[in-house]
Amino acid sequence: MNTMPSTIEMEHAFRRRDATYDGIFFLAVRTTGIFCRPSCPARKPLVQNVEFFATAGEALAAGYRPCKRCRPLHADGRPPEWVERLLMALDQNPEARLTDASLRAMNIDPVRARRHFRQHYGLTFQAYARGRRLGQALGQLRQGVDLDDVALGNGYESHSGFREAFAQAFGRPPGKSRDADCIVTTWIESPLGPLVLAATTEGVCLLEFSDPARIEMQFDTLRRHFDRAIVPGSTPHLDTLQAELASYFAGTLKAFSVPVVYHGTPFQEKVWTALQQIPYGETRSYEDLARTIGAPRASRAVGSANGLNRVAIVIPCHRVVNKSGELGGYGGGLWRKRILLDLEQKGQAAA
Ligand SMILES: [Zn+2]
């Protein structure tokens, strides 16, 4: 489950229209049936009429409509303003050690920063900052920058300190890493709440809803499968995916072109490949899918392979439903499956 701040903290935040809480929680107003970001400029409702949600998707699922002023569903793929400031500070000055005191000096609450990073990346802020620094160092090594420049330029005081941190994260010493690859991860806002994305140089390997427990599990699996470290950052595949997701949620994109990579058993991989053949706006039953892959008696196994899909939405496991027409299961929660299927119905009708 997503963690939310205390009710009192959330009340203070929306009274002050504190934008630093945007993306952390949403507030819904029972009397109007509308939900907002904490920073919404609209007149503030009475506390007793307010209900709080960790994600926009949960507010939608509870029957609330998005506010037209603060547009809580606006999937612009940008993190909240204060997170952007923090990321920018890291980019501009990678050697800066961002202590709690220096965060406060930037008007950023260290507790909130930690919560945000854990919620969205499944990492502590320190681990995120460390990963980002190492990711940059690796990028420079691959571009042929001298090892001395890389170590000292990224804020490591000594060679040995750099070597140690590097070997720990990437499982090999920096001198041998010019051809090493890593998994790059980022997150975006979406109508279904924050999404965690990850890609290798070959393609997208993760699209997961932002639930810390699931993300930690998925990161472990990815590390094992690909034998690579996970570092925050951006890559061309992640940029493409973000742009395609924005069009998908706008109802204008019906097929993703971004490459996907997956590792599974031959059976799982067959299921994941077959899922990508189900057309936009249509559904299939687990039995249909089992027949498609030539294993008509394996509909239960098809169901579990479906549930292990790591690239949600792009590999459309949400298009598989029960034979009876009921929704069946969904790792990201049934409300998300319903929203995706409704969105595709509308997108298809509009075409
Ligand atoms: Zn609003």
Side-chain angles (χ1 to χ4, degrees), residues 34-37 40-42 67-72:
I34 282 171
F35 74 99
C36 289
R37 295 172 188 269
C40 182
C67 167
K68 289 212 166 73
R69 291 189 69 178
C70 64
R71 298 189 299 166

Side-chain angles (χ1 to χ4, degrees), residues 24-327:
I24 301 272
F25 74 90
F26 296 84
L27 64 131
V29 188
R30 292 195 188 91
T31 43
T32 59
I34 282 171
F35 74 99
C36 289
R37 295 172 188 269
S39 66
C40 182
R43 203 165 63 85
K44 292 300 165 185
L46 294 172
V47 170
Q48 60 266 34
N49 295 330
V50 170
E51 198 175 346
F52 295 104
F53 294 95
T55 65
E58 285 162 73
L60 276 177
Y64 289 102
R65 295 186 314 282
C67 167
K68 289 212 166 73
R69 291 189 69 178
C70 64
R71 298 189 299 166
L73 291 187
H74 194 56
D76 56 6
R78 290 163 73 88
E81 181 274 335
W82 65 272
V83 177
E84 283 198 331
R85 267 194 293 131
L86 192 51
L87 295 179
M88 215 184 296
L90 276 173
D91 280 348
Q92 283 169 354
N93 194 3
E95 60 262 45
R97 311 257 166 186
L98 291 173
T99 59
D100 283 4
S102 58
L103 290 176
R104 277 191 213 96
M106 293 168 69
N107 218 359
I108 293 168
D109 177 358
V111 176
R112 198 178 314 149
R114 276 196 285 277
R115 186 189 290 128
H116 180 91
F117 282 86
R118 188 166 149 64
Q119 188 163 333
H120 293 97
Y121 298 102
L123 295 169
T124 64
F125 172 69
Q126 269 70 23
Y128 179 94
R130 228 168 18 236
R132 196 170 170 95
R133 232 146 55 95
L134 282 167
Q136 276 173 358
L138 182 66
Q140 291 166 352
L141 283 176
R142 291 164 77 197
Q143 284 160 23
V145 177
D146 190 81
L147 189 55
D148 282 359
D149 287 339
V150 172
L152 301 174
N154 285 286
Y156 297 94
E157 276 140 33
S158 67
H159 267 189
S160 59
F162 173 59
R163 275 175 190 287
E164 212 169 286
F166 195 98
Q168 209 169 16
F170 295 103
R172 70 200 93 199
K176 296 197 171 79
S177 295
R178 285 182 210 277
D179 59 344
D181 198 359
C182 51
I183 299 167
V184 180
T185 181
T186 190
W187 73 277
I188 58 167
E189 278 187 69
S190 85
L192 302 178
L195 300 176
V196 175
L197 324 175
T200 65
T201 43
E202 294 88 35
V204 172
C205 59
L206 182 76
L207 199 172
E208 178 61 90
F209 303 103
S210 169
D211 166 350
R214 274 181 78 84
I215 288 166
E216 271 168 37
M217 186 189 75
Q218 298 287 33
F219 277 8
D220 280 347
T221 313
L222 287 178
R223 273 190 212 99
R224 241 191 357 262
H225 278 312
F226 291 97
D227 189 25
R228 295 175 196 175
I230 298 178
V231 299
S234 65
T235 73
H237 287 323
L238 290 179
D239 292 345
T240 306
L241 177 59
Q242 287 190 44
E244 292 195 342
L245 280 171
S247 310
Y248 172 82
F249 284 121
T252 55
L253 181 126
K254 299 186 172 55
F256 288 86
S257 71
V258 70
V260 259
V261 284
Y262 39 76
H263 271 273
T265 64
F267 179 80
Q268 288 168 344
E269 292 188 3
K270 227 190 240 184
V271 171
W272 297 335
T273 305
L275 284 171
Q276 294 173 77
Q277 314 301 321
I278 308 176
Y280 180 93
E282 294 184 23
T283 56
R284 297 286 183 272
S285 69
Y286 297 95
E287 288 77 5
D288 291 337
L289 203 60
R291 270 194 300 276
T292 306
I293 62 162
R297 276 123 94 73
S299 60
R300 286 179 78 90
V302 162
S304 20
N306 203 44
L308 290 172
N309 170 30
R310 276 187 297 277
V311 191
I313 304 174
V314 180
I315 299 181
C317 57
H318 60 275
R319 292 180 197 151
V320 184
V321 297
N322 285 349
K323 207 162 46 177
S324 61
E326 284 161 16
L327 280 186

